[in-house]
Amino acid sequence: DAGTYDKVSQTGGPRAAMRFAAGGEAQHGANAGLDVARELLQPIADKYPSVSAADLWAYASIVATEVSGGPSIPFRPGRKDAVTVEESVEDGRLPDATQSTNHLRDVFGRMGMTDEEIVALSGAHTLGRAHLDRSGFDGPWTENPLEFDNSYFKNLLERKWTVKANSVGNIQFEDETQTLMMLTSDVALLMDPEFRKHVERFAADEQAFFKVYAQAYQKLTEGGCPFLNGAISVPTGGGNRAAGGGNRAGGGGKRAAVRRFLAKIFG
C-alpha cells in the first residue's frame, strides 16, 4: 500500500490499510492476490503484536529482495497502521499494467519519483510472475523468477516481444520462446527515450540498477512517514555483500526459507 502515497495531499502511503479485507484498499484491483502474502506473514504478526503491520510488510519485502540476490535496502521502523477501513484511499492510485508512459509518470510522480526511479522500480518485475486469477495476466518476466537481478531489463531489450491476447482476453506481450511475458506498461519503457536510456543502463550495469532501486524502494516504503527521518536503520541480516551489491553468496538457511516463502506467493 506504500504506492498510494500522494506528496501533495500527504495522504496514502504505508499504513497497512489492506488489513481490512472486507473493503477499502484490500478490494482495489491492483492489490489482487496480495492476500496470499498477508496470510503468510500473519503468524509473524501474531507473534510480535507490538510491530505494526506496515513495518512488517515493508521489512519482509526488503528481506525478500535482499535474500533473493538483490540490493541491501535500509529499513527504518516506525510506520503507523490505519485504524479503520475508512482511512483507505480511493481506488486508482496504483500502477495500471494496461497503461503507458504518461500513466507511469502520473502515478509515480505523485509519490515524488524521477524517471530513473520509475524505471528502477519497474525492474521489480524481475522477481515473481503474473497470475490469471489475480491480475488477469499470466507468466513470468524472467527465466529465474525467484532471483533478483537485472534480467528484466536485458529481456526487454534483447527479446522480440509480440502482442497477444491471453486466455481471458487481456493484452500482454510474449517473447519468441512463448515462455516469458511483458505487460503494456513494461514495453512502454522502450518507447520513451528518457525511460529507455535508463533501461539500457540498467541492462548493462546491474550494480547501477541495484543502487537506484535501493534508493527508490526506501523512498517508496517511507512515503508519507516524516517521523521516520529520526529513526535508526536496523539490519536485515541478509549476509555479507559488497557495497550496493547483491546477496547471492552466503545466508544459505535464510535464503532457502525466503525462497520457499516467495514460491508460495508467486506459485
Side-chain angles (χ1 to χ4, degrees), residues 1 4 9 11 16 19 27 36 46 56 72 104 123 157 177 182 192 196-197 201 211 216-217 229 240 249 257:
D1 62 352
T4 62
S9 65
T11 57
R19 297 189 338 276
Q27 300 301 314
V36 177
D46 294 339
L56 175 59
S72 176
L104 290 174
L157 291 170
T177 69
M182 289 285 171
D192 183 291
R196 186 181 180 110
K197 71 181 183 182
R201 181 162 66 95
K211 181 179 179 180
Y217 197 77
N229 290 337
N240 297 322

Side-chain angles (χ1 to χ4, degrees), residues 16-36:
M18 284 189 290
R19 297 189 338 276
F20 308 105
E25 292 177 30
Q27 300 301 314
H28 292 182
N31 288 328
L34 291 181
D35 57 308
V36 177

Side-chain angles (χ1 to χ4, degrees), residues 67 238-240 247-253 255:
V67 176
N240 297 322
N247 185 41
R248 295 193 180 93
R255 180 174 169 80

Side-chain angles (χ1 to χ4, degrees), residues 67-81:
V67 176
S68 297
S72 176
I73 302 170
F75 172 80
R76 298 187 293 183
R79 295 162 189 78
K80 300 175 183 178
D81 290 342

